[in-house]
Amino acid sequence: MDLAIMGYGVVGSGVARLLARNNESIAARSMQPNMRLKYILDLREFPGDPFAPLVVHDVNLILDDPEIGIVAETMGGQHPAFEFVKACLERGKSVVTSNKELVATKGLELMQTAKAHNVNFLFEASVGGGIPIIRPLSQCLAANVISEVAGILNGTTNFILTKMFADGMPFDTALGLAQENGYAEKDPSADVDGHDACRKICILATLAFGRHVYPEQVRTEGVRGVATEDVLYAEHAGYNIKLIGRARRLEDGRVSAVVGPMLVPFDNLLANVNDVYNAIMIHGDAVEDVIFYGRGAGRFPTASAVVADMIDCAKHTQRRRFFDWETGGADYVAPAAQDVVSLYIRLRCGSPDETFAALRGLLPGAQKLSREGAQPHELALITPKMEEGAALAALRGRDVQSVMRLF
Ligand code: HSE
């Protein structure tokens, strides 16, 4: 059986190298002694690259070649990845992908296409880089009713936050380093503004709760607004700030799903996940909390998951490996403002003491925070648990600088 890779970037080149490096064990595990990489599709040339002879520019070479049984899509983005993947599935080729945007937006359609053509569509690499999470969530935890999935889902922003706050590195330098290491998306705003984490929580929520959650249904904030003052207040109160994706099953059958920077208590394992590492926590009624931890981005960690899916496809040429979920719906995700949460709030005001006294009437039990070097017209507080919309209404008209949820 022959293989093809579509997209020779960081992940695609990792897949080619890993297939070559672990050739014997991969052949043994896939029970396909003659598995070989035949084409690499990319618009660019790669002179001097060991895999340059395999590079082609026309997807039809892959589509029309009956010997190609498995295709790894590592191009990223929706288009033309969607058209290429769909065409591969329709031609009877199994596809594995690391493309979270594709799975989060078109996963249901592609899964249905795979079923209709009796081939596999697998996407272990789309969440958590090298961390096994898609199969554990869908298969190993299948006996559970899952009530929550949450975690640090973006390696680049976790790397940036760690470098900024542990090493004092400026934001742009930390982002540049993440790009050099091959962690960041082509368009770094996908990382920094939370869209990458949003796509991943959509995939996890979809698998955990059984209906498709779409990125536009998830309120998403990135890390650009996290200021040094926030970190100092958070640390003084016993929290780290992490970009968290969180999805919960609600009693009325809907789900809550958000992405944003959150204050995570020091004694929570997620608070101590640093650098490019990701960690994903799942709560099931039987298993309770389980946490998956590892490298969430980078060439070989992500290639590890892609190649594992290729091996799985090779082993399942007769039997299919389907993941099942249903379509979502406009009302399936509850408005974020209805979530019951505690908020961290920093605002500018004339007199912090007077402002806090006035706010405490509206937010009973609110806790005033302190930090070294606090400015005279600055107030930071933590609200009691209440509907987010009600807490924010209490602050209407105030000069609010920062709002983050407590995890
Ligand atoms: N840019 C992504 C991240 C790559 O930093 O997590 C892995 O999906």
Side-chain angles (χ1 to χ4, degrees), residues 173-207:
T173 313
L175 174 59
L177 207 52
Q179 286 171 315
E180 272 173 38
N181 287 332
Y183 304 149
E185 297 299 298
K186 264 183 241 162
D187 169 8
S189 78
D191 295 302
V192 171
D193 295 324
H195 304 301
D196 179 76
C198 169
R199 290 161 190 153
K200 291 167 177 167
I201 199 66
C202 287
I203 297 170
L204 295 175
T206 296
L207 292 171

Side-chain angles (χ1 to χ4, degrees), residues 98 100 125-129 153-157 182-185 191 196 200 276 278 296-298 302:
S98 59
K100 45 264 157 149
S126 65
V127 180
L153 302 172
N154 182 265
T156 299
T157 43
Y183 304 149
E185 297 299 298
D191 295 302
D196 179 76
K200 291 167 177 167
V276 73
N278 284 189
T302 312

